[in-house]
Amino acid sequence: MKVSVTNREIIKLAAPIALAMLIPQVNFITNNAFLGRFGERELGVSGITGIYYLILSMVGYGLSSGMQIQMARRAGENDKEGLAKIFANGIVLAALLALGLIFLSFFFATEVLGKSLHDPENIRLSIRYLYVRCWGLPFLLVTQLFNAFYISIGRSKLIIWGSLTATIANIFFDYGLIFGHFGFPMMGLMGAGIASIISEFIYCLTMVGIYFFRKLHISYRLHLIHDFSIQLCRQTLTVAAPLVVQFLFSIGGWQIFFIFIEHEGQRELAASQILRSLFGIIGLGTWSLASACSAMVSNIIGQGSQHEVMSLIMKIVKLSVIYTVVIGGLLFVFSEPFLSMYTNDSELVRFAVPSMRVIIVATLIMAVATVMFNGVLGTGNTAVNLFMEVTSVCIYLIYCYIIIERMRSPLYICWMSEGVYWTSLITFSFFYLRSGRWRGKTI
């Protein structure tokens, strides 16, 4: 279960993660393309509500990320029994957390969306869509935890299969339920929500099935009741809680950005929903490398090789930058053909092109910042990650408030906020890693 600090090992772990991320991005692009052709309002509303749902899912992702660090550390120590106990506790915590998030959404969604959006029809559709969409959370959170487990034991290839089956299901049911094909009723935006729930259920079922099919239940025995420990839960939450808050701030800042954009107008909102997909396409290589980075940093610290941490992070940064330059360069040159996949509206495409090119430049900063930030995460000092995130998001929101809400700037100026955010994050991460204060941290 131990890893080595080589480019081959990095790519071996990161490539399956990237492929697993690529498959849902195909789904995301297809979903937006379907809704974009169904109606501009539906496309914009799915963007706002999609960010809200992303906030909820990021709470679960914070939990699974915290547990991934702990499981990777046990993997580096070759402690299979300890790893299995952390995993078992995590499944129980994920299920309870998902139910709590659904309960809170039913109470607070109307309040949050009703007071932040201006258009009454956008408010009505957003709330109705969210009430359907949030039922996918239990399946999603358990799936996230299984993915973290597979990555932590160096079996990241396994997560591809769940991602593939879920995406095929989502595209099929999206097309059927949005437009009313294959004998389904035409449900538009609500059909997209139901399709997503079905795909998340299939994803979860596949990941659990792989665990037994690959006989991992023999090496990593899960006793959900017997191994449940309040002390272990407390230890897990000590590591994961800052990450949960961190992701809430990160995606919450994006939610506020889209709310500000909604105040700008329907066209700006629709264009921004399309532009949002750029982060999935350009970022999937960076995010997969970053995920590998946090797991590998934790693993080699568990081996007692702290002196190799900085060398590992810089190798991953170089790979991340190379990937971003290649993919970003292609999208920069072929901006209009790419945007035309989402909509037949040529004016909307031309309107979005300047903002798209601003985002592409910002992703070059993201390529470095995300890897370094996840390097900090791998050291286990999640409270430092939280401080960095909160401070960076505050700087980001100040920019958004002044530039978007007060000055009503053009859309491409609004999207420069991404450069502000990632520059802040890379600065904090660099100085913390260079300081060496992370050495000796136990989790």
Side-chain angles (χ1 to χ4, degrees):
M1 293 192 293
K2 296 181 179 182
V3 300
S4 57
V5 185
T6 63
N7 285 334
R8 182 179 180 180
E9 190 77 19
I10 294 166
I11 295 171
K12 181 182 175 182
L13 183 59
I17 301 173
L19 184 57
M21 288 180 174
L22 172 63
I23 297 167
Q25 289 308 318
V26 173
N27 167 38
F28 181 73
I29 291 170
T30 306
N31 185 66
N32 280 347
F34 288 162
L35 286 175
R37 283 162 172 75
F38 190 85
E40 191 172 290
R41 182 183 294 277
E42 284 77 7
L43 178 63
V45 167
S46 72
I48 295 173
T49 318
I51 296 292
Y52 187 97
Y53 183 78
L54 188 59
I55 292 172
L56 300 180
S57 70
M58 282 295 116
V59 175
Y61 186 68
L63 175 66
S64 64
S65 294
M67 302 200 75
Q68 179 178 307
I69 298 166
Q70 291 180 291
M71 289 188 288
R73 188 68 55 91
R74 299 297 172 271
E77 296 165 353
N78 208 29
D79 181 7
K80 291 186 177 181
E81 184 179 350
L83 193 157
K85 286 181 178 179
I86 292 172
F87 187 29
N89 272 259
I91 293 173
V92 176
L93 285 174
L96 293 174
L97 181 60
L99 294 176
L101 289 172
I102 292 173
F103 179 79
L104 289 173
S105 292
F106 283 162
F107 277 90
F108 293 109
T110 303
E111 191 75 13
V112 172
L113 295 172
K115 289 189 175 180
S116 56
L117 302 180
H118 285 178
D119 189 310
E121 183 62 13
N122 283 350
I123 295 171
R124 187 189 70 81
L125 281 175
S126 295
I127 294 171
R128 187 178 168 212
Y129 178 72
L130 184 64
Y131 281 177
V132 172
R133 188 70 185 86
C134 68
W135 288 106
L137 280 170
F139 309 120
L140 178 63
L141 266 60
V142 171
T143 299
Q144 288 173 337
L145 193 60
F146 269 88
N147 286 348
F149 166 70
Y150 294 134
I151 293 170
S152 68
I153 64 172
R155 303 286 294 275
S156 58
K157 289 181 181 178
L158 297 177
I159 69 178
I160 296 172
W161 300 110
S163 185
L164 180 61
T165 55
T167 299
I168 292 171
N170 203 355
I171 292 173
F172 173 81
F173 286 106
D174 256 348
Y175 185 67
L177 292 168
I178 291 174
F179 297 111
H181 296 298
F182 312 127
F184 293 112
M186 186 172 69
M187 301 179 68
L189 184 61
M190 298 307 113
I194 294 171
S196 294
I197 295 171
I198 294 171
S199 69
E200 283 167 347
F201 170 74
I202 292 173
Y203 198 168
C204 183
L205 195 64
T206 304
M207 300 316 289
V208 174
I210 287 172
Y211 172 76
F212 290 99
F213 180 76
R214 293 285 184 170
K215 303 188 185 304
L216 292 171
H217 63 287
I218 297 174
S219 300
Y220 304 93
R221 295 186 179 276
L222 299 181
H223 304 285
L224 299 184
I225 305 300
H226 180 267
D227 283 345
F228 187 75
S229 164
I230 298 297
Q231 182 179 353
L232 187 56
C233 286
R234 189 180 297 115
Q235 179 184 331
T236 295
L237 291 174
T238 299
V239 176
L243 295 179
V244 172
V245 179
Q246 169 202 318
F247 287 126
L248 282 175
F249 265 87
S250 177
I251 307 301
W254 222 18
Q255 175 79 75
I256 294 172
F257 171 82
F258 270 83
I259 288 170
F260 286 165
I261 293 296
E262 192 263 353
H263 299 170
E264 293 262 305
Q266 196 68 41
R267 173 133 296 197
E268 285 78 4
L269 182 60
S272 294
Q273 169 62 358
I274 294 172
L275 293 166
R276 176 184 155 203
S277 67
L278 279 173
F279 290 97
I281 296 169
I282 301 178
L284 70 89
T286 291
W287 295 334
S288 61
L289 287 165
S291 181
C293 182
S294 63
M296 293 181 75
V297 166
S298 188
N299 189 292
I300 63 174
I301 291 176
Q303 295 178 41
S305 303
Q306 294 188 3
H307 61 281
E308 295 186 272
V309 168
M310 289 304 297
S311 172
L312 169 65
I313 292 173
M314 294 315 298
K315 284 181 179 180
I316 298 176
V317 164
K318 289 177 184 177
L319 292 172
S320 178
V321 170
I322 291 170
Y323 167 84
T324 304
V325 168
V326 172
I327 302 300
L330 289 172
L331 288 172
F332 194 95
V333 173
F334 300 105
S335 298
E336 291 197 17
F338 171 77
L339 292 171
S340 296
M341 291 192 303
Y342 294 93
T343 178
N344 295 323
D345 188 339
S346 58
E347 288 187 13
L348 182 60
V349 168
R350 286 193 295 271
F351 178 72
V353 166
S355 300
M356 177 176 175
R357 289 174 174 166
V358 166
I359 292 171
I360 291 169
V361 173
T363 58
L364 290 171
I365 308 172
M366 182 183 78
V368 180
T370 305
V371 172
M372 296 189 73
F373 186 65
N374 275 266
V376 176
L377 178 62
T379 67
N381 202 342
T382 52
V384 172
N385 282 88
L386 175 59
F387 169 79
M388 292 178 182
E389 186 69 57
V390 170
T391 307
S392 297
V393 169
C394 287
I395 294 170
Y396 167 84
L397 289 177
I398 290 170
Y399 177 93
C400 289
Y401 178 75
I402 294 172
I403 298 299
I404 307 174
E405 193 73 354
R406 303 300 298 177
M407 298 179 63
R408 300 292 181 184
S409 301
L411 188 62
Y412 72 93
I413 300 293
C414 300
W415 275 102
M416 286 181 182
S417 57
E418 291 299 317
V420 172
Y421 169 75
W422 293 113
T423 299
S424 301
L425 203 60
I426 195 174
T427 303
F428 291 128
S429 300
F430 173 78
F431 283 109
Y432 178 74
L433 288 168
R434 191 173 181 180
S435 72
R437 294 177 184 174
W438 46 271
R439 297 179 184 275
K441 176 68 178 179
T442 58
I443 55 173

